[in-house]
Amino acid sequence: MIKNDSSLRTRVAIIGGGPSGLLLSQLLERAGVETVVLERKSREYVLSRIRAGVLESGMVELLREAGAGQRMDREGLVHEGIYLARANRGFRIDFRRHTGNSVMVYGQTELTRDLYQARDAMDANIVHEVEQVEIHAAQSPNPYVSFRHDGRECRLESDFVVGCDGFHGISRKTIDSSVLREFERVYPFGWLGLLSQTPPVSEELIYASHERGFALCSMRNPQLSRYYLQVPLEDSVEKWSDEAFWDELKRRIPAEAAETLVTGASIEKSIAPLRSFVAEPMRWGRLFLCGDAAHIVPPTGAKGLNLAASDVFYLSQALLRHYHDNDDSGLDDYSATALARVWKAERFSWSMTRLLHRFPEQSEFDLRMQQAEIDYLETSVAAQASLAENYVGLPY
Ligand code: FAD
Ligand code: DHB
């Protein structure tokens, strides 16, 4: 709610009330730096999105630090490995053995709900259903954001503006085209996801490579399963009945798993395209980008949300140093520091995608290369350690 006047002032204006925006707002305010979050959608809409499910330990720590980790610590599932399968065989990558570390299975929807609750408890200023958001004077010491809310023209003045507004947001597009560089790969398939109130087929996630296409068995909790199928880009959700989905999943995962799979009605079903994307730089004057606003990874490897968290970590530290120690070195280094980690996660997500999917233009040679790489992973401790190191998350 905007009270009284339609003109506001804050220290850090945050555009986007998804996980990046909320986490940044929470970390800054807990350290005494005031923020305002502007979100295009309603809270209900933001909380209805079913997205990521796997948190690296760095993100788990950050949520605890933000005072938003209690429910995650109670209800999240600690996973110490994953299964890789092809045709009918599977093998396990043991994270604990190779890295001493683990990941937490806890849905983005729940995490976002926890962040909203933590923000409410601090009486946060989050303005929902804003329209026509525009960033002005980002290159000056006094940037501001204009927007419409409740039929009124509003203006939010600030020291800094942070674009946490996802891939389709306006923040990245504000950066002058002579400065902005974009790197992109679009993949020739999508992921059809299905959520069902059924017990997961396996205690740990199964990433399955199959001649009919990739499949992933994941979960949200012991009664809630999340499954994905690689599908052609032209497919629509309507084309996939629940029955067709389950039949296809059973074909692509090892027989042992297929036999014990419990099926049920879908709660949600959607298709997501796969894309690799990086925008450079992640800072332009007093405008900073975090999360999907600056980069997208294909979901294989579960890195998207986790990359948003490392950006937020670097930026929150840099802003706190600016306000508390009068030191701008973190802000000056932010883009280079964040991008160094982003590119490594891009590489990992791209390599997992390339390893496990069927590509329309794949030659027999390409197929043999894929098979050889999976063989190598199955038998090499060094290859397993490398996958595990990236999956649990590179340090920050
Ligand atoms: P977002 O979550 O996109 O949040 C941006 C927010 O900004 C939104 O609430 C949006 O409404 C708001 N916004 C947009 N434009 C404006 C504007 N002009 N003004 C104000 N607000 C605006 N990652 C994984 O790690 N694992 C997964 O399994 C996984 N699955 C995914 C499935 C799907 C279908 C999608 C789309 C993404 C998935 N991701 C996954 C990626 C992960 O969800 C994102 O990386 C994560 O949501 C990034 O958070 P964010 O806050 O940066 O962006
Ligand atoms: C989930 C999604 C992923 O992309 C992934 O690699 C693992 C899990 C999920 O939604 O549960």
Side-chain angles (χ1 to χ4, degrees), residues 104-117:
M104 178 83 88
V105 170
Y106 191 66
Q108 178 170 334
T109 316
E110 301 311 315
L111 177 157
T112 309
R113 192 185 304 282
D114 296 347
L115 282 168
Y116 268 117
Q117 258 176 21

Side-chain angles (χ1 to χ4, degrees), residues 211-286:
E211 62 182 21
R212 298 178 65 89
F214 170 74
L216 171 62
C217 306
S218 182
M219 65 194 74
R220 291 292 176 271
N221 65 47
Q223 281 78 46
L224 197 58
S225 297
R226 181 74 165 158
Y227 297 103
Y228 296 96
L229 292 175
Q230 174 187 350
V231 294
L233 268 181
E234 316 76 67
D235 274 15
S236 63
V237 175
E238 295 71 42
K239 188 193 146 191
W240 284 89
S241 66
D242 289 359
E243 199 186 357
F245 184 98
W246 294 120
D247 287 346
E248 187 59 26
L249 183 68
K250 284 182 192 168
R251 288 190 197 108
R252 297 188 189 183
I253 61 178
E256 207 184 317
E259 278 156 24
T260 57
L261 178 74
V262 180
T263 63
S266 62
I267 301 172
E268 192 262 3
K269 216 163 22 180
S270 53
I271 294 182
L274 269 68
R275 181 195 304 271
S276 297
F277 175 88
V278 181
E280 292 183 351
M282 288 172 64
R283 176 203 187 163
W284 189 57
R286 290 193 164 232

Side-chain angles (χ1 to χ4, degrees), residues 63 314 319 337-338 390:
L63 286 163
Y314 294 131
L319 286 167
T337 310
N390 282 280

Side-chain angles (χ1 to χ4, degrees), residues 18-19 70 72 76 79 92 140 148 193 201 214 222 260 285 339 342 394:
Q70 297 90 336
M72 170 192 72
H79 279 210
R92 183 168 185 263
S140 83
R148 278 186 72 80
V201 66
F214 170 74
T260 57
L339 281 167
V342 165
L394 298 176

Side-chain angles (χ1 to χ4, degrees), residues 15-21 38-41 45-46 49-54 108 130 133 164-170 191 220 226 228 270-272 290-293 295 297 299 302-306 308:
I15 303 178
S20 308
L38 302 178
E39 166 58 50
R40 193 174 50 154
K41 301 284 187 184
Y45 183 93
V46 173
R49 295 186 184 123
I50 310 290
R51 288 185 171 178
V54 178
Q108 178 170 334
V130 296
V133 177
C164 296
D165 49 351
F167 183 65
H168 299 288
I170 52 94
W191 275 21
R220 291 292 176 271
R226 181 74 165 158
Y228 296 96
S270 53
I271 294 182
C290 275
D292 280 17
H295 41 72
V297 288
K303 288 285 161 257
L305 178 59
N306 291 299

